[in-house]
Amino acid sequence: MDDTLYKAAQGVLKNAYAPYSKFQVSAALKLKNGEIITGVNVENASYGLSNCAERTALFTAYAKGYQKEDIESLLITTNQAHIVSPCGACRQVMRELLTEDTEIILVNNTGKSQVLKNIELLPFAFTEDDL
Ligand code: THU
């Protein structure tokens, strides 16, 4: 596992705004130019408006002008003892905003990790090709 990327994600985990679930999530994108872009989950009293960490990081990267070809990997960590896998909404967004082969690294609260390819998280997806 990329230690720099993990430390970047761990470093912002405390910024997760999760007063309702207490379930803190952070994400860190490693760009091919070496830059790291992080994100955390941001909840809302109107629960459905909450934004996941993965999407926060990805939307930030795109807002900065980066696109899928610029991104090497996405690491996701939480304050949980088990390895947490991205929710369905995030998988759909990840499928469009990352390449199929982008490395996805899932890490628990002690540094135990599991690595997958983006496409493995959402096979037979609805994509822009269907439109
Ligand atoms: N959450 C994420 O940030 N990423 C995921 O992939 C799963 C869920 C957040 C949403 C909510 O703030 C909290 O975790 C509990 O669902």
Side-chain angles (χ1 to χ4, degrees), residues 37-58:
I37 293 174
T38 57
V40 296
N41 55 330
V42 181
E43 298 184 346
N44 193 276
S46 177
Y47 298 161
L49 301 182
S50 301
N51 201 62
C52 292
E54 299 90 317
R55 280 178 284 149
T56 304
L58 277 166

Side-chain angles (χ1 to χ4, degrees), residues 21 23 25 41 43 52-54 85-87 90:
S21 72
F23 191 101
V25 186
N41 55 330
E43 298 184 346
C52 292
E54 299 90 317
S85 189
C87 78
C90 286

Side-chain angles (χ1 to χ4, degrees), residues 5 21 41 46 57-58 63 68 72 80 86 95 112 115 124:
L5 196 60
S21 72
N41 55 330
S46 177
L58 277 166
K68 61 174 81 173
E72 196 171 287
Q80 302 294 306
R95 184 60 188 271
K112 188 177 164 211
V115 182
F124 197 42

Side-chain angles (χ1 to χ4, degrees), residues 16-123:
Y17 179 73
Y20 309 107
S21 72
K22 317 282 188 214
F23 191 101
Q24 297 176 312
V25 186
S26 65
L29 288 163
K30 185 181 183 186
L31 303 187
K32 290 178 184 164
N33 69 5
E35 191 177 336
I36 290 176
I37 293 174
T38 57
V40 296
N41 55 330
V42 181
E43 298 184 346
N44 193 276
S46 177
Y47 298 161
L49 301 182
S50 301
N51 201 62
C52 292
E54 299 90 317
R55 280 178 284 149
T56 304
L58 277 166
F59 294 161
T60 302
Y62 271 70
K64 292 181 84 155
Y66 295 113
Q67 297 210 338
K68 61 174 81 173
E69 298 76 18
D70 304 310
I71 302 169
E72 196 171 287
S73 56
L74 167 60
L75 184 147
I76 302 155
T77 193
T78 70
N79 63 349
Q80 302 294 306
H82 63 288
I83 290 177
V84 172
S85 189
C87 78
C90 286
R91 289 174 196 222
Q92 178 70 25
V93 171
M94 287 160 63
R95 184 60 188 271
E96 180 149 341
L97 301 187
L98 296 170
T99 72
E100 292 185 357
D101 292 331
T102 301
E103 188 178 60
I104 310 298
I105 308 146
L106 310 175
V107 193
N108 79 343
N109 65 355
T110 61
K112 188 177 164 211
S113 65
Q114 185 174 341
V115 182
L116 302 99
K117 266 187 185 186
N118 190 31
I119 194 164
E120 293 181 271
L121 287 169
L122 193 61

